[in-house]
Amino acid sequence: MTPSEQNDSRRTSGWMGIQRGHQARPGEWLAEKFIFLVSLSAILMVLLIFLFVAREALPVFLGQTDTALVKKPIPPDDLDKLSPAKLEAYLEITPEQFAKMTKANLHDLMEMKVEEQDDVPEKFRNDPDAHINTTEWKYLVQPHQWKGYDKPEYIWQPVGEIKKFNIIPLVVGTLKVTLIGLLFAVPLAVGAAIYVSQLARPRFREFLKPAIELLSGIPSVVVGFFALLVMATVLQSLFHYQTRLNAFVAGLALGFAVIPVIFSIAEDALTSVPRTYTQAALALGASRWQTAWQIVLPAALPGVFAAAVLGFGRAIGETMIVLMVCSASVMSWSVFDSARSITTTIAAEMAEAVSGGPHYRILFMLGALLFAATFISNMIGDLVIHRFKNKLEGKK
Amino acid sequence: MNTLTPPEYLPEPPSSSPTTRHFRAEKFDFWSFFFSGLTGLATLFIIGILVTILLNIIVNGWSAISWHFVSTIPKKDFFDANTTGVLPMIVGTSFRVIVMTIFVIPVGVITAIYLTEYAANTSNVTRIIRAAVNNLAGVPSIVFGLFGLGFFINFVGKHMDALLHNPTAVWGQPALIWASLTLAVMTLPVVIVATEESLKAIPPGLREASLALGATKLETILKIVLPQALPGIMTGGILAVSRAAGEVAPILFTGVAYYMASLPQHLSDQFMDLGYHVFVLSTQSPNIEQTRPILYATVLVLLILTFALNIVAILIRARVRKKLRALG
Amino acid sequence: MAETLIPKPATSAASGAAAKTATPLIDIDKVSLYYGASKALKSISLKLEEKVVTAFIGPSGCGKSTLLRCLNRMNDLIDNVRIEGSMRIGGHNIYDPNVDVIELRKRVGMVFQKSNPFPKSIYENVAYGLRLHGVKSKADLDARIEESLTASALWDEVKDRLHSSALGLSGGQQQRLCIARAIAIKPEILLMDEPASALDPIATSRVEDLILDLKKEFTIVIVTHNMQQAARISDQTAFFYIGELVEYGATQKIFTNPAQKRTEDYVSGRFG
């Protein structure tokens, strides 16, 4: 055999020799390329979500937003001394708008800025709060002693004369509601998963599993409605607390929404523990419960953990339930106080935020934060499950 | 089918004889009983919640629902129990879901075809696509809303207006099409996963048979694989529809309207929506006691829409699984 | 389509290594096959003649099915498979990059171990391949379907229910339907991968009769783990052991007077 011939026949096989497929069967070749391109759309969408949520939030990260009511205007004659980027930020215009403007236009705009400052009411001139750019990171995450308060506080108050954008109350609110939800949902869902996968008779199991999964078919707005109209009243008469709509009610309702998520994944993990384990334990005289608790659950623990993590990801992203049940933003760790989550804030305030303004930008920033948080928790959850499955299959 | 039933000449599997039962008999163990009971109670509790929610809504909603209610376009004050109706909301929700389906089904099915039929499981591209699909499934619905606003309306829509020289914003504002597209992105993983599952369940022997007859890959997919996968694809579509029909957060900024006097006519119109209407009725009503009946009725309509679809999907899936198991 | 794989005498004269009078239709020359890093076939050379039944025998995992699947490039469907050496059918190297696999598979048909009728009607099962290859008119289809169902000895059993589902047939009938489906498109070579392994003895004997019948028209390569079957139906037998071709020759010789000790051990049932 000649070397060239050997070369011809030595080829990794792929689908029918794509290399020349476009000549032999152009239709087939085009279809394959088309299918491939379409399948990339999921990747494209994730990138676009990240890109466009981040794009709207970018000015906050770059420090280009400014909410100070009183600021020292730049003399219009200094126009040439400023870089275009600085000018855009100062005049609050987009690069496209900037590109269309002549020097005279820019000069006019700068004069308007000076006049604007002349119109600032007298009472603000002596108010230190009015000199502050509240969108600086310092004010977003650290407590600040505003005028009229006797100690530094975390305040989210996006409307009013001095807009306060401290995001800590929202983060606390989110965590509070989410943790209540998980504390409620994880034991129930994992307990049910153990029962359905290990203890229930097969006939029961065939009915229980879809029934629990049906819970995920209830739209969250319906769960929110139920919590608002029925649960809130029932729970208040049971526990006698002050505020009827509070983080406790919201957390429980949130729990309903994540139970099916946690249940499905935990049940799947428990079922995927090889039956040889359980049979060995049962043969040694362990009861079904001892087998489930001492053999199956430890083996499936990573899967159960992943279920809780993925449930967490789902819970912090849930919007309508918390929006309907409680929404006052008070900075409090108390379970029976109201709480406002990040999702709720975005949903409730986006409509009144001026497009492109600081409030709008900060809401997008919160969205980006949320995206990052769920991204990380999903990554961890998927990774744990992946490792767990591989371990069960004996792969490294 | 005949491969499933064991040949008759095989002996019956041994049933537990008295001696073995003696060894297997468990001593009554209180803690085992207690904890087993606890997990059973947890299961019962979850089912109980489900049943309570459904019964509460059905009982209260049934008495308030009427033909007049579902076929009336309400006046501006839709809190009035006597004159209100939910026709525009039913129409709006249906429209946005139908438009969504038109976009999401082809993209989802083609992606699933690529993943199961073409891609090598070990390739990096496949791994990234799978990671992206997983990730997409975990993005909070409100972030999809932000994305719809930032991308579809503020980017695509505004640029379309600029290109078409529209004097006022036509596409650069909340609209039916943008809400539908946002939902399509959100439900893409649902369709992909369901389709993939049904494609994987098709015996590889069928593909081999077709290829060995000299069919091309595309012919095999179109004539053998897809017809077999159709019920699975339908399940995926229905699940996506039922998920999307109940979602409110993604459409808040992308197309839903508090009130519209007429039904949506055009893709660039805004629309009223059942889920959003439930939200409005329960949080903004001037007198919650008076709104309660219409609120329950609206919830029932929404639930019938989403739940009926869900149950249909579950039934189709069960039937397909049974059939495929019979196929071997 | 019209040209056949059967080589002209001139091309085959050069490779007259085999001590046979017939011209080799299939010429396998030093073929090695790798799944990733592991070598599944070790430098196999083999020449098969036209209109002859050749049986590949050997213990499981010996590479007989793998080699069979090389002949119509079904191994292309598996990732990470690499093939060295040359495999010629009718003088064409079928692993040449210019070979159209689709055309190849039209001419080298295959029947699988597990019967795999499409979940369509009996009629549609056979019509599928015909339609793919351009048979359109109803009359032509009907004629070709009757012809191939008759050839596979199934016509009398199914002629009254051509339009009912193929999945309603018994296992043996399903396998004969798969054979009918494969021969309907008139391939020149028919590959059979343990076609009777899942069938009961009566169905097996019907399939064996069918193979003997089909020999008149087709070149048949059959993989089997059933020694009696190989002895009953094949003219030539090749014995494989762990990826190697141990012995190849006339069936009678392999079974009565094998040259190799390993072959003798295997055919006499001492291992495998």
Coordinates of all heavy atoms in Angstrom, one line a residue, chain A residues 216-226 257 314 318-322 324, chain B residues 141 246-249:
Chain A
S216 N -45.9 22.1 40.9 CA -45.1 23.0 40.2 C -45.9 23.6 39.0 O -45.5 24.6 38.4 CB -43.8 22.4 39.7 OG -44.1 21.5 38.7
G217 N -47.0 23.0 38.7 CA -47.8 23.5 37.6 C -48.7 24.7 38.1 O -49.3 25.3 37.2
I218 N -48.8 24.9 39.4 CA -49.6 26.1 39.8 C -48.8 27.3 39.6 O -47.7 27.5 40.2 CB -50.0 25.9 41.3 CG1 -50.7 24.6 41.6 CG2 -50.8 27.1 41.8 CD1 -51.2 24.5 43.0
P219 N -49.3 28.3 38.9 CA -48.5 29.5 38.6 C -48.3 30.2 39.9 O -49.1 30.2 40.9 CB -49.5 30.4 37.8 CG -50.5 29.4 37.2 CD -50.6 28.3 38.2
S220 N -47.1 30.9 40.0 CA -46.7 31.5 41.3 C -47.7 32.6 41.6 O -47.9 32.9 42.8 CB -45.3 32.0 41.2 OG -45.1 32.9 40.2
V221 N -48.3 33.2 40.7 CA -49.3 34.3 41.0 C -50.5 33.7 41.7 O -51.1 34.4 42.6 CB -49.7 35.1 39.7 CG1 -50.5 34.3 38.8 CG2 -50.3 36.4 40.1
V222 N -50.8 32.5 41.4 CA -51.9 31.8 42.1 C -51.5 31.5 43.6 O -52.3 31.6 44.5 CB -52.4 30.6 41.3 CG1 -53.4 29.8 42.1 CG2 -52.9 31.0 40.0
V223 N -50.3 31.0 43.7 CA -49.8 30.7 45.1 C -49.8 32.0 45.9 O -50.2 32.0 47.0 CB -48.3 30.1 45.0 CG1 -47.8 29.9 46.4 CG2 -48.3 28.8 44.3
G224 N -49.3 33.1 45.2 CA -49.3 34.4 45.9 C -50.7 34.8 46.3 O -50.9 35.3 47.4
F225 N -51.6 34.6 45.4 CA -53.0 35.0 45.7 C -53.6 34.2 46.9 O -54.2 34.7 47.8 CB -53.9 34.7 44.4 CG -55.2 34.2 44.7 CD1 -56.3 35.1 44.9 CD2 -55.5 32.9 44.7 CE1 -57.6 34.7 45.1 CE2 -56.8 32.4 44.9 CZ -57.8 33.3 45.2
F226 N -53.3 32.9 46.9 CA -53.7 32.0 48.0 C -53.1 32.4 49.3 O -53.8 32.5 50.3 CB -53.4 30.5 47.6 CG -53.8 29.6 48.7 CD1 -55.2 29.2 48.7 CD2 -53.0 29.0 49.6 CE1 -55.6 28.2 49.6 CE2 -53.4 28.1 50.5 CZ -54.8 27.7 50.5
A257 N -43.7 26.9 46.5 CA -43.3 27.0 45.1 C -42.0 26.1 44.9 O -41.8 25.6 43.8 CB -43.1 28.4 44.7
R314 N -33.9 28.8 42.9 CA -35.3 29.0 42.5 C -36.0 30.0 43.4 O -36.7 30.9 43.0 CB -36.1 27.7 42.4 CG -37.5 27.8 42.2 CD -37.9 28.0 40.7 NE -39.2 28.7 40.6 CZ -40.4 28.1 40.7 NH1 -40.4 26.8 40.8 NH2 -41.5 28.8 40.6
E318 N -37.8 34.0 42.8 CA -39.2 34.0 42.7 C -39.7 35.4 42.9 O -39.3 36.1 43.9 CB -39.8 33.0 43.7 CG -41.3 33.0 43.8 CD -41.9 32.8 42.5 OE1 -41.7 31.7 41.9 OE2 -42.7 33.6 42.0
T319 N -40.6 35.9 42.1 CA -41.0 37.3 42.2 C -42.4 37.5 42.7 O -42.6 38.2 43.7 CB -41.0 37.9 40.8 OG1 -39.7 37.6 40.2 CG2 -41.2 39.4 40.8
M320 N -43.4 36.9 42.1 CA -44.8 37.3 42.3 C -45.3 37.0 43.7 O -46.0 37.8 44.3 CB -45.7 36.6 41.3 CG -45.5 37.0 39.8 SD -45.2 38.8 39.6 CE -46.9 39.4 39.7
I321 N -44.8 35.9 44.3 CA -45.3 35.5 45.6 C -45.0 36.6 46.6 O -45.8 37.1 47.3 CB -44.7 34.1 46.0 CG1 -45.3 33.0 45.1 CG2 -45.1 33.8 47.5 CD1 -44.7 31.7 45.4
V322 N -43.7 36.9 46.6 CA -43.3 37.9 47.6 C -43.9 39.3 47.3 O -44.2 40.0 48.2 CB -41.7 38.0 47.7 CG1 -41.3 38.7 48.9 CG2 -41.1 36.6 47.6
M324 N -46.7 39.9 46.1 CA -48.1 40.0 46.5 C -48.3 40.0 48.0 O -49.2 40.6 48.6 CB -48.9 38.9 45.9 CG -49.1 39.1 44.4 SD -49.7 37.7 43.6 CE -51.5 37.9 43.8
Chain B
S141 N -37.3 34.5 36.7 CA -38.2 35.0 35.6 C -38.1 36.5 35.5 O -38.3 37.1 34.4 CB -39.6 34.5 35.9 OG -40.0 34.7 37.2
G246 N -48.8 30.9 33.0 CA -49.0 31.4 34.3 C -48.0 32.4 34.8 O -48.1 33.0 35.8
E247 N -47.0 32.6 33.9 CA -45.9 33.5 34.3 C -46.3 35.0 34.2 O -46.9 35.4 33.2 CB -44.6 33.3 33.5 CG -43.8 32.1 33.9 CD -43.0 32.4 35.2 OE1 -43.0 33.6 35.6 OE2 -42.4 31.5 35.8
V248 N -46.0 35.8 35.2 CA -46.3 37.2 35.1 C -45.0 38.1 35.1 O -44.9 39.0 34.3 CB -47.2 37.6 36.3 CG1 -47.5 39.1 36.3 CG2 -48.4 36.8 36.4
A249 N -44.0 37.7 35.9 CA -42.9 38.5 36.0 C -42.2 38.9 34.7 O -41.8 40.1 34.5 CB -41.8 37.8 37.0

